[in-house]
Amino acid sequence: MSKANTVVVLDFETTGLSPTYGDRAIEIGAVLIENGEIKDRFQELMNPGRPIDGFIESYTGITNDMLKDARPCKEVMSQFAGFIGDYNLVAHNASFDKRFLDAELKRVSKQYTGKFACSMLLSRRLYQGAADHKLATLVRYAKIPSDGNFHRALYDSEMTAKLWLSMLEHINSHYGLPSIPFTLIQKLSKTPKHKVSQYLNR
DNA sequence: TGCCAGGCCCTCTTTAGGGCCTT
């Protein structure tokens, strides 16, 4: 599979916000996009080794009962390392998912070489008219069909993937760029908002 | 057991503060 035309879009559900303060992953979901199409999927719950609190149960719909028989994080993450391989990676608010990916893979002595891009940072440049840049809001803004079942890992990764493809199509239709290298998307995601057109029209 | 983040980005900025996003 061509690395240049492939990205893995991933999403974690977790026990909280900070792996450096002991939070763990409880579910990973991911889709593999090749040449603009979803070609593969990965989804699994994982047992973090301790109970999750009521807020997380309510927020995700993942219960302690569901996690009781799930495989431990180390088994799931070792397998997931094989799924992401050396592909580049995308997530919505990628700094969050990158922290958990790094922390969980470090526990199983796995590494990855792909680079991250962030769909939220890109959307702040391309979809400046959106009411906000939450994933659900952007899915509605981009008119992506959705049943509204957010906050599960595979569903959110699929919606992020479709949002990502929507933004690539936006770049093509507005700026005549049918394909744009991943490294340029990363740079675009850090470009000052008022310079986006200048950046893409050069 | 319970504690709890951090990068981006704007502005009443840069010797700072606070909202947005993710769970």
Side-chain angles (χ1 to χ4, degrees), chain A residues 56-75:
Chain A
I56 296 299
E57 284 192 316
S58 173
Y59 186 82
T60 64
I62 298 169
T63 64
N64 282 297
D65 195 54
M66 292 164 68
L67 295 174
K68 160 167 64 65
D69 298 323
R71 291 198 291 159
C73 294
K74 61 181 181 181
E75 288 184 23

Side-chain angles (χ1 to χ4, degrees), chain A residues 111-142:
Chain A
Q111 295 179 325
Y112 62 98
T113 59
K115 303 300 181 188
F116 262 96
C118 177
S119 55
M120 184 187 74
L121 293 182
L122 185 60
S123 75
R124 283 176 174 169
R125 273 79 186 168
L126 298 180
Y127 292 161
Q128 297 187 30
D132 58 51
H133 295 84
K134 293 180 173 72
L135 178 59
T137 303
L138 291 164
V139 165
R140 283 196 302 273
Y141 182 82

Side-chain angles (χ1 to χ4, degrees), chain A residues 2-125:
Chain A
S2 169
K3 182 182 172 183
N5 298 320
T6 305
V7 296
V8 170
V9 185
L10 61 89
D11 181 71
F12 279 103
E13 304 305 317
T14 70
T15 64
L17 294 172
S18 175
T20 57
Y21 280 80
D23 284 316
R24 299 296 304 273
I26 59 173
E27 187 181 43
I28 179 66
V31 300
L32 187 149
I33 299 177
E34 183 193 18
N35 296 322
E37 294 183 11
I38 294 176
K39 293 292 182 66
D40 201 359
R41 291 171 172 79
F42 187 104
Q43 183 273 325
E44 189 155 346
L45 292 171
M46 54 190 124
N47 190 325
R50 58 182 171 84
I52 59 174
D53 64 32
F55 173 80
I56 296 299
E57 284 192 316
S58 173
Y59 186 82
T60 64
I62 298 169
T63 64
N64 282 297
D65 195 54
M66 292 164 68
L67 295 174
K68 160 167 64 65
D69 298 323
R71 291 198 291 159
C73 294
K74 61 181 181 181
E75 288 184 23
V76 176
M77 291 308 301
S78 291
Q79 185 179 343
F80 185 63
F83 185 84
I84 64 177
D86 293 330
Y87 296 126
N88 287 322
L89 305 167
V90 170
H92 199 68
N93 197 11
S95 69
F96 174 85
D97 292 281
K98 182 178 187 299
R99 281 197 294 276
F100 277 94
L101 182 67
D102 291 351
E104 293 293 349
L105 289 184
K106 185 177 181 182
R107 287 172 176 269
V108 293
S109 301
K110 298 280 188 181
Q111 295 179 325
Y112 62 98
T113 59
K115 303 300 181 188
F116 262 96
C118 177
S119 55
M120 184 187 74
L121 293 182
L122 185 60
S123 75
R124 283 176 174 169
R125 273 79 186 168

